[in-house]
Each structure stands twice: as C-alpha cells, then as structure tokens.
Amino acid sequence: MGSYEEPTIPVVDMSSFFTGGAEHQQHAADQLAEACRDLGFVAITGHGVSSELLREAFDWSRKLFELSHEDKMKAPHPASSVPHRGYSPPGLEKVYAKKLCDGDDVEISQGKSLRKVKDFKESYEIGSEDNPSQPNIWLPEIILPGYRKFMLHFYWELNKSAQMILQAIGQGLHLKDSELTNLLRLHPGQNNQLRLLHYPPVPAELLENQIVARMPAHTDWSSFTLLFQDDCGGLELEDPRNPGLFIPATPIPDALVLNIGDMFQRISNDTFKTATHRVALPPLQQNHGDGANVTRARYSIPYFFAPNDDAVVECLPSTVREDRPAVYEPIMFKDYGAWRSKYAYQQPEVEV
C-alpha cells in the first residue's frame, strides 16, 4: 500500500475572468470548474473584492465582537433557525453533519444528543433588507454607529463577486445559454447570508479533549460559500478521496475560499460534490503564564450564496443522461434548509 499523499487546495486567479477577453475568461472558468470538480474547495484570488473593503469589514467585525455581551444581546438571534439573523453568543448554535439530520439518537433527543460537545464561537447573521421571510435583526444605531450601513453595502458587493463566480462556474461547465440564464435567475441575491464569525480564545486542552469545538465537520446547504479568513488558521477540508483525513486551508492574504454547498451538488447532479469542512485547533497558539496553551482569537466572514426560499432546485438538464440519471428529486430550497437547520438553535449554556 502506498503512502498517503495529501492533496493541496488549488489556487485560481480569477482576475482575467473579471477583466479579460473571452479567451482568457474561458480559461479562468475552466480552471475554476476543474478545481470544483476535484475537491469542491478552492482558494480564489482576483475575485473583485478590494483589499480595502475587506480590511474595513474585518475592522467592523472586531468592533462588533468587542462590545459587551449586554450590548450584543440587543440584537439577539432567536432560539430557532428562522429568522437566521442577529447575534448568537457562544453555545447557542450547533453545527452538525448532514448525515446526522435523521439519526435515531438525534430524533429521540430532539437534537440534544448533538450538543454533547458545544460549539465555542459567536456570530452575527445579516441578509438583504428585501427578504421578508428573513428580516434582519439590528443593533440600535447608537451602539455601533455606521455598522448597519456598511454591512448592507458589503452584502451587495459580495453578491456582485458571487454572481460573477456563478457565471464562471456555468461557463466552466459549458452550460447552454438558456441553462446559464436560468441558473443566474435562480440566484438573484435576496436570500444570501452574510455571517461575521469570532472564535474567542479557548484553552487548547478543551478542544483536544472534545469538551468544546470550534466548528465540527459539516457541509453548507447553500449553492456555494465565499469565505474570507484572518491569518489564524484552523480551517480544514476533508479529503473526499480519504474520508476522515483533513487538509489545512492555509490562509492566503486577501484570497477567498470557495466551497461548493449541498444545493450545487444537486444542481450539478453530483458533477461537483459538496465540500465537508471544519474549524479545528489552529496551528498558532499563545502560551499563558500558567503554561497552558490558549488558541488565538479567529475571525472569518463567510458569505452563503443561495437560491431564493421558494426556488425549486433540480438537476441541470445537461447533467442528466441516459447513463447518468438524475440523482436528486426537485426540492424547494426553504424545505431543504428547514431540514438541515432543524436542531441548530436551542438555548444551551457554555462554561469555559
């Protein structure tokens, strides 16, 4: 038996797709599609989001999470998955793998069995103001002046990049014009989700002994996710050819990480596979005076690019053939999301 060779996460420069001619655009699109087909996980540079805008977004994120708990709880996420908006303190949300959604233990315990290991992170969820099914939950303006205005601007700037990346994926798949048009119509932008994430410092021993988790292995149920991360590290992709083995997604300045989600696996009829990923113990740690290793704080900003709630998601016609029938039945996105997030929100307490 040969030794295991860990694959590397590909890096694709998309700048030529944003600014180049037709030939250069197609080359970039083909590179992106090949990376998505191989791992469902790719680092992208030249994605159209400026370094200055990203720095400003991370500055706002730090300002937000530096607020007192009392102030952050003035925009509380409800104890349910709808609306998926507002501030979640450590332990409120539980992330879990898709395969656990219908497990007997999970059903019998109504999700409590998923919370034996609690997630130690805090987040703030933001959406479009044009989405009545998911109304935003904002802090009072006096608490963090300018935050709401910036985040709404940032939301739509990320949507511009996501729309271009979707078009590139479609070109990389060599979709018919009508299919690409329908794919773009399926994703108008109103149902995307902007998430600010903060992983507070935590004793490494608690992570190593699985008393708490950063974020367990899971897939996203959107079409794809654009993720921006600081330089802390800890993000990992499960090697699809070797389940259980994880590949570090080493941070690259100003790059984003694209991971394929459950919806695009369905849309592409398994041409692209949804990427299982997690946030684990980062490689860089601080050593406190008592000798205990404590993780660095980690900040990340994922942007979940999704169909509208009432959109019916089905396999693209060009991905279905006699020798490759449709793997998935059509499903409404909101129904799929409700199934995936059924046990995500309860009211636990985390003591660290």
Side-chain angles (χ1 to χ4, degrees), residues 7-46:
T8 57
I9 294 171
V11 181
V12 175
D13 181 1
M14 291 296 294
S15 56
S16 61
F17 189 85
F18 282 76
T19 61
E23 184 177 342
H24 290 94
Q25 283 187 331
Q26 189 62 52
H27 178 69
D30 289 340
Q31 283 188 309
L32 180 61
E34 184 58 32
C36 291
R37 188 179 288 109
D38 187 33
L39 290 177
F41 204 87
V42 54
I44 296 178
T45 60

Side-chain angles (χ1 to χ4, degrees), residues 228-241:
F228 302 91
Q229 57 177 331
D230 66 10
D231 64 354
C232 177
L235 177 64
E236 298 178 341
L237 164 71
E238 185 174 37
D239 184 349
R241 300 181 188 88

Side-chain angles (χ1 to χ4, degrees), residues 312-325:
V312 176
V313 177
E314 55 190 329
C315 300
L316 290 165
S318 63
T319 67
V320 179
R321 304 187 300 269
E322 184 176 349
D323 62 341
R324 188 178 178 176

